[in-house]
Amino acid sequence: QVQLVESGGGLVQAGGSLRLSCAASGRTFSSYTMGWFRQAPGKEREFVAVISWIGGARGDYADSVKGRFTIARDNAKNTLYLQMNSLKPEDTAVYYCAARPRGTLEYNYWGHGTQVTVSS
């Protein structure tokens, strides 16, 4: 099993930056594809970014964050990151990291989330 704990959320002004981290337990972190999702008040949870288990892989992004957010992972530290730049008020949400085993499509493990609030 994998346990995930997000951190790094907070309050930031529009145009600012935040870096989220997701610490994973377990020895098999490197075999999981990792993703970031977010859920704004009154809205469904949505995909933000994903990075494969392959070391050095580049991520894929939702159109709404492409060019502003960067997903990265450090398998030696069992940690996933999301660098968020040029933040907008519409980025306000609870951000979750999630893990799915290599070769599967379903995210089996989720963190509890970290709040990101962007003020205008």
Side-chain angles (χ1 to χ4, degrees), residues 60-76:
D60 289 318
Y61 302 90
D63 288 343
S64 59
V65 307
K66 202 170 292 184
R68 300 187 298 121
F69 290 11
T70 302
I71 189 171
R73 66 189 297 162
D74 186 335
N75 287 342

Side-chain angles (χ1 to χ4, degrees), residues 25-109:
S25 65
R27 301 178 183 177
T28 59
F29 174 76
S30 60
S31 66
Y32 286 83
T33 291
M34 300 296 297
W36 285 101
F37 293 78
R38 66 187 182 185
Q39 187 167 19
K43 296 187 177 181
E44 294 188 353
R45 186 165 56 194
E46 64 175 3
F47 166 77
V48 174
V50 62
I51 188 167
S52 79
W53 59 273
I54 299 173
R58 302 179 69 175
D60 289 318
Y61 302 90
D63 288 343
S64 59
V65 307
K66 202 170 292 184
R68 300 187 298 121
F69 290 11
T70 302
I71 189 171
R73 66 189 297 162
D74 186 335
N75 287 342
K77 296 182 178 180
N78 280 12
T79 303
L80 175 73
Y81 302 100
L82 184 68
Q83 178 66 44
M84 305 186 295
N85 299 329
S86 302
L87 283 161
K88 305 175 181 180
E90 52 263 43
D91 294 318
T92 295
V94 177
Y95 283 71
Y96 300 89
C97 66
R100 58 180 169 92
R102 185 173 60 187
T104 68
L105 297 178
E106 183 177 356
Y107 287 90
N108 298 86
Y109 305 103

Side-chain angles (χ1 to χ4, degrees), residues 8 11-20 68 83-87:
L11 174 64
V12 63
Q13 288 188 335
S17 298
L18 282 175
R19 187 196 196 198
L20 305 184
R68 300 187 298 121
Q83 178 66 44
M84 305 186 295
N85 299 329
S86 302
L87 283 161

